[in-house]
Amino acid sequence: MAQQPNRLRPFFENISYEREDNELVVNFGPQHPSAHGQLRLMLHLQQEQIVKAHPDIGYLHRGMEKMAENMIYNEFMPTTDRMDYIASSSNNYGFALAVEKLIGLEVPRRAKVIRMMILEINRLMSHLFWLATTALDIGAMTIFLYAFREREYLMDIMEGYCGARLTHAAIRIGGVPLDIQPDFLEQLRTFLGKLPQNIKDYEDLLDENRIWRMRMEGVGYISKEMALSWGCTGPMLRASGVAWDIRKEEPYELYDEVEFRVPWSDKGDNFARYRIYMEEMRESAKILYQCIDMYEKCVRDGETELMAHAPKYISAPKLDIMTQNYSLMQHFVLVTQGMRPPVGEVYVPTESPKGELGYYINSQGGPYPYRLKLRAPSFWHTGILTDLLPGHYIPDVVSIIGTTNIVFGEVDR
Amino acid sequence: MDVAYLIATVVKIVIILLVFSALAGFGTYFERKVLAFMQRRLGPMYVGPYGLLQIAADGIKLFTKEDIIPANVVKPIFKIAPVITAATAFMAAAAIPFMPSFTIGGYEVKPIVSDINVGLLYIFGVMGVGLYGPLLGGMASANKWSIISAARSAAVFISYEVVTGLSILAPVMMVGSLSLIDFNNWQIENGWIVMYQPLAFILFWIAAFAETGRTPFHLVANDHEIIDGFGTEYSGMRWGLFFIGEYANMFFISFVIPLIFLGGFGEGTFVDGLLFFGKMAFFFFFFLWTRAAWPDVRPDQLMWLCWKVLMPLAVINVVITGIVMM
């Protein structure tokens, strides 16, 4: 279905709630158990069938893009955590990468490897969370608890690294603040050793489960054209027959050095999306194994730098700050006034677990961004509900919202 | 009327009420524990040893909670709906023999409130009336999700009563009686009915899930889709009555299935009695097991299953039974 930007959509105030027909208008959310945060859907129902659906957003709006205009660049980093809070490091990373592009920084290799590990751990966390909540929405509550246990291991690993479990703020502009803790690799290896069996457990419970298939197959079909015209990205797009992954198309970090496959499908329904999430978990595990090897090679080669060397923008290492006067002065300026990237604008897309997460930054040379815009994948995936839901039943609404994997921190920002 | 009979009946009624109210409470505890062990967690652990007093805590909470009656509800119907659910669940117990008869002090006790000759018909009739609880509660609640739930409950219960009725018809034809005690005695002589009627057994079992609204067919109050369905606007003990009704129903169905199909309590010896409770426990456990293992189906798929799969099978089963009996 083509997108119709000019089509008039009524304001909700003008909808008459009592009419002489069979239509029932219900509010699905913002307090509905399966509304995934603060989604409000106005559903027009013909018995149980949806005739019309209006997604309504804004219940979690915090004005983050505007907040960014009044913060120095480093100050904004923890705020990005609160967008896609399921995989917060991917937001940190997108922002850091955009600023680095704006400045033209080259990040040390060891930091790149650590960043990749953090990104893939976040992807796994997000996918496990997706599986857990979607299965719970469809009624398979055991999967929910199984997947949460595995996610717990990852959260422990992240807690060991940065001290936080949900809002990591683990990435800095120009690198990473810390080296990984001594037992990080060992913990990660233990986890990766268990993961294939765990994924197999989930698949054993779901793949051949007839009820699961009845609920997923043929439900929420998105054609290729529809996916492209609604701006779908990530698993939503890949399930509709477009094998588009920014890690492959425009590689950032060291993604061009690692081997991985981009799972895709041309089925376009809920089940295809479910399969893609499962396959992506396996691919993430593969990337993580390669990252471990790359990290160990970095250690052998004696690469110890974690932050880029750019005195105008990035503070020197702590040792220099404590011992050298110039580094200290510079650190003082960078902390109190903030870095001043050159005049220019930049849009940098990254492949977050949910799709294309892009940051647009317009810098006028000052310490604050003149304009910062976030292209959040979930926002577009919420929009598609308008065209996707009509014709489905109420239980399908739940499973479709589940497989679109929308997170409202990201939609409303 | 015989005074002893009257006293005995009243005592039986009180015992059934108390035991099954308590069992319904324990049912929630069992459910939490069984689900917890299947899901790699502990379940209730803090209130009392192994969380056993959790039921008491829940009961106190339900009783002391404010009884909220929203502004636009139809008050009398709203108030009476939970009572219908709980009452019909317990009324159905009147025709269920829970144990073989035994003698205390020269007086023979039959652990059945009333062995009426239309026992099965009565049980399913009364359970059918139970439909009015969700239906009226949902319609009186002035909540759109409750309305949807009421519509679903009407569709599900009425459809699956057809399956229940038809699947039970074949065993009834074989036994030639509607009394569960006659069923029991017939099975002592001829062996378990499940051997003659495996299809009827499976159909009845599937329908039991729909009748009690348990997981694969958990539609009427599916909290992921329609919040709490008919229970959305209820609070405190009114909601608790719906809950007791649901769990009591699960227990009664778990009693009825072995009585009809699996030999009941047989000769009535102590071992037979234990075996009977074992069977009952298995069916109850199975309700919880499915909840841990399976997702829910959609209402239209449930209707498809009923009218296009189960009902034709049940009819064919009845026809074949009839032909064989001729």
Side-chain angles (χ1 to χ4, degrees):
Chain A
M1 211 180 287
Q3 200 178 351
Q4 295 167 293
N6 296 325
R7 187 162 71 193
L8 279 177
R9 299 253 161 85
F11 286 104
F12 298 125
E13 293 83 9
N14 299 336
I15 294 174
S16 58
Y17 287 88
E18 284 173 25
R19 272 182 295 188
E20 291 297 313
D21 56 13
N22 279 334
E23 239 174 65
L24 182 69
V25 184
V26 293
N27 263 322
F28 190 96
Q31 302 294 331
H32 191 278
S34 304
H36 280 221
Q38 304 294 319
L39 169 66
R40 179 188 178 208
L41 273 175
M42 308 269 294
L43 297 177
H44 293 235
L45 300 174
Q46 196 73 261
Q47 283 95 44
E48 286 231 4
Q49 207 165 30
I50 285 112
V51 186
K52 228 190 268 177
H54 296 288
D56 183 17
I57 61 170
Y59 288 90
L60 202 60
H61 184 64
R62 291 149 294 179
M64 282 184 173
E65 288 169 1
K66 193 71 190 167
M67 280 158 78
E69 293 168 20
N70 296 298
M71 284 178 173
I72 64 173
Y73 286 88
N74 275 322
E75 215 179 348
F76 186 58
M77 185 60 80
T79 316
T80 58
D81 280 334
R82 275 80 184 165
M83 291 177 180
D84 177 4
Y85 42 81
I86 305 302
S88 47
S89 293
S90 58
N91 300 305
N92 300 156
Y93 177 74
F95 179 62
L97 190 67
V99 179
E100 283 156 15
K101 279 267 169 65
L102 192 61
I103 303 171
L105 280 181
E106 182 56 30
V107 177
R109 189 179 166 84
R110 184 159 172 165
K112 278 186 176 178
V113 176
I114 295 174
R115 281 176 172 202
M116 265 174 74
M117 286 200 267
I118 292 172
L119 283 181
E120 291 308 317
I121 287 176
N122 272 274
R123 191 181 310 279
L124 276 173
M125 276 166 71
S126 170
H127 282 12
L128 285 168
F129 187 89
W130 170 85
L131 178 68
T133 50
T134 306
L136 183 66
D137 285 349
I138 293 177
M141 72 184 293
T142 303
I143 301 286
F144 167 71
L145 289 142
Y146 279 22
F148 257 54
R149 186 181 76 155
E150 271 69 72
R151 181 165 171 271
E152 199 66 19
Y153 288 132
L154 289 169
M155 293 192 17
D156 286 345
I157 294 177
M158 281 312 290
E159 191 183 8
Y161 177 69
C162 63
R165 291 161 63 80
L166 200 66
T167 49
H168 306 140
I171 289 168
R172 296 285 180 277
I173 298 164
V176 286
L178 297 160
D179 198 4
I180 54 175
Q181 71 268 28
D183 58 350
F184 184 95
L185 291 184
E186 196 193 331
Q187 282 181 5
L188 193 56
R189 272 209 197 91
T190 320
F191 173 78
L192 290 177
K194 285 186 206 149
L195 188 67
Q197 183 56 44
N198 288 325
I199 296 177
K200 200 176 160 297
D201 282 349
Y202 311 143
E203 287 180 344
D204 286 348
L205 274 166
L206 297 178
D207 268 10
E208 296 304 319
N209 188 325
R210 288 178 76 164
I211 296 176
W212 178 261
R213 291 191 83 120
M214 273 160 79
R215 290 295 303 274
M216 298 297 255
E217 273 178 335
V219 173
Y221 172 72
I222 304 175
S223 68
K224 192 173 169 179
E225 291 71 35
M226 190 175 165
L228 288 170
S229 74
W230 274 100
C232 289
T233 45
M236 288 279 280
L237 184 61
R238 291 196 280 277
S240 296
V242 186
W244 177 270
D245 188 322
I246 293 163
R247 290 176 295 174
K248 282 275 192 216
E249 305 296 330
E250 304 167 20
Y252 48 92
E253 290 303 295
L254 303 171
Y255 277 112
D256 44 355
E257 289 182 26
V258 291
E259 272 294 298
F260 68 101
R261 213 166 50 81
V262 178
W264 67 284
S265 158
D266 51 7
K267 297 275 195 312
D269 58 357
N270 276 350
F271 195 73
R273 292 193 274 278
Y274 154 73
R275 287 303 316 155
I276 281 171
Y277 279 108
M278 301 306 268
E279 287 305 319
E280 275 190 12
M281 278 198 246
R282 294 207 168 90
E283 297 304 317
S284 279
K286 223 194 279 176
I287 296 174
L288 276 170
Y289 271 123
Q290 294 172 52
C291 286
I292 293 175
D293 293 342
M294 283 157 90
Y295 180 81
E296 282 172 338
K297 189 164 176 298
C298 283
V299 174
R300 281 200 302 279
D301 295 351
E303 289 172 32
T304 51
E305 291 236 305
L306 291 176
M307 290 290 272
H309 182 69
K312 253 179 94 178
Y313 306 110
I314 309 289
S315 295
K318 257 303 186 258
L319 186 69
D320 288 355
I321 294 173
M322 292 304 180
T323 52
Q324 293 176 22
N325 195 18
Y326 182 72
S327 294
L328 178 63
M329 284 157 63
Q330 200 201 9
H331 179 62
F332 180 74
V333 171
L334 281 174
V335 168
T336 52
Q337 297 177 13
M339 65 172 80
R340 291 164 192 271
V343 179
E345 56 179 1
V346 68
Y347 174 79
V348 179
T350 55
E351 182 76 20
S352 95
K354 290 167 187 68
E356 177 182 329
L357 179 76
Y359 279 85
Y360 165 83
I361 300 176
N362 186 332
S363 164
Q364 300 286 339
Y368 307 116
Y370 177 71
R371 173 82 172 99
L372 186 142
K373 169 88 178 83
L374 178 76
R375 187 234 183 259
S378 297
F379 179 78
W380 304 85
H381 298 165
T382 312
I384 201 173
L385 293 177
T386 317
D387 274 356
L388 189 54
L389 291 182
H392 286 97
Y393 297 96
I394 294 179
D396 294 334
V397 176
V398 174
S399 62
I400 289 171
I401 293 175
T403 51
T404 51
N405 198 6
I406 46 182
V407 166
F408 265 74
E410 196 177 54
V411 176
D412 289 344
R413 303 197 280 282
Chain B
M1 194 176 280
D2 190 358
V3 178
Y5 171 77
L6 212 63
I7 291 171
T9 307
V10 170
V11 168
K12 280 182 218 165
I13 289 172
V14 169
I15 287 176
I16 286 179
L17 260 179
L18 290 180
V19 167
F20 278 91
S21 301
L23 265 185
F26 269 100
T28 63
Y29 175 78
F30 293 143
E31 169 151 29
R32 288 181 190 188
K33 276 291 185 194
V34 169
L35 283 180
F37 290 145
M38 287 183 178
Q39 293 164 348
R40 309 193 284 212
R41 58 195 173 91
L42 290 172
M45 283 302 281
Y46 289 97
V47 194
Y50 300 100
L52 270 167
L53 294 178
Q54 185 72 43
I55 315 144
D58 287 347
I60 291 168
K61 187 200 80 174
L62 284 176
F63 270 111
T64 52
K65 234 180 161 178
E66 187 191 350
D67 176 27
I68 300 168
I69 295 177
N72 292 325
V73 303
V74 185
K75 275 187 191 129
I77 297 177
F78 183 83
K79 283 179 182 169
I80 209 161
V83 183
I84 296 176
T85 304
T88 51
F90 285 106
M91 274 157 67
I96 301 176
F98 294 102
M99 271 184 281
S101 53
F102 54 91
T103 336
I104 302 177
Y107 182 79
E108 198 199 6
V109 182
K110 287 187 188 137
I112 177 168
V113 176
S114 166
D115 183 15
I116 44 182
N117 56 2
V118 287
L120 269 177
L121 205 60
Y122 169 80
I123 291 173
F124 294 116
V126 172
M127 275 189 171
V129 175
L131 152 74
Y132 284 104
L135 183 64
L136 294 180
M139 287 173 73
S141 281
N143 182 318
K144 287 172 180 174
W145 297 106
S146 303
I147 295 260
I148 294 171
S149 160
R152 277 187 183 190
S153 72
V156 170
F157 283 119
I158 291 171
S159 309
Y160 274 83
E161 248 153 46
V162 175
V163 178
T164 320
L166 283 176
S167 65
I168 216 77
L169 203 55
V172 169
M173 282 157 69
M174 291 175 69
V175 176
S177 164
L178 284 163
S179 158
L180 280 169
I181 290 184
D182 287 346
F183 264 77
N184 191 46
N185 296 337
W186 190 88
Q187 291 182 80
I188 295 171
E189 290 166 23
N190 303 310
W192 293 4
I193 288 181
V194 68
M195 292 189 292
Y196 306 96
Q197 295 286 351
L199 185 63
F201 169 65
I202 290 166
L203 292 178
F204 186 77
W205 201 0
I206 292 175
F209 279 89
E211 293 267 332
T212 50
R214 295 297 301 178
T215 266
F217 308 141
H218 180 52
L219 304 172
V220 176
N222 192 328
D223 42 342
H224 306 300
E225 293 155 16
I226 49 174
I227 315 196
D228 199 30
F230 57 87
T232 309
E233 297 290 350
Y234 282 92
S235 65
M237 208 49 216
R238 280 187 210 285
W239 183 81
L241 279 177
F242 275 129
F243 210 65
I244 289 175
E246 186 192 327
Y247 277 82
N249 249 334
M250 270 164 73
F251 271 108
F252 295 139
I253 287 270
S254 308
F255 269 108
V256 168
I257 297 177
L259 271 173
I260 299 175
F261 290 102
L262 298 179
F265 43 73
E267 306 271 4
T269 60
F270 183 68
V271 179
D272 283 337
L274 273 186
L275 213 60
F276 178 54
F277 280 102
K279 290 172 208 162
M280 190 283 280
F282 171 75
F283 283 105
F284 188 77
F285 171 74
F286 203 87
F287 277 120
L288 313 181
W289 192 4
T290 39
R291 177 156 182 213
W294 277 339
D296 291 323
V297 298
R298 249 176 14 215
D300 60 310
Q301 290 164 343
L302 187 67
M303 291 297 118
W304 165 82
L305 187 68
C306 172
W307 296 108
K308 293 196 178 163
V309 182
L310 300 183
M311 204 193 63
L313 281 176
V315 171
I316 291 168
N317 193 39
V318 170
V319 170
I320 292 176
T321 311
I323 290 171
V324 170
M325 278 176 67
M326 278 200 301

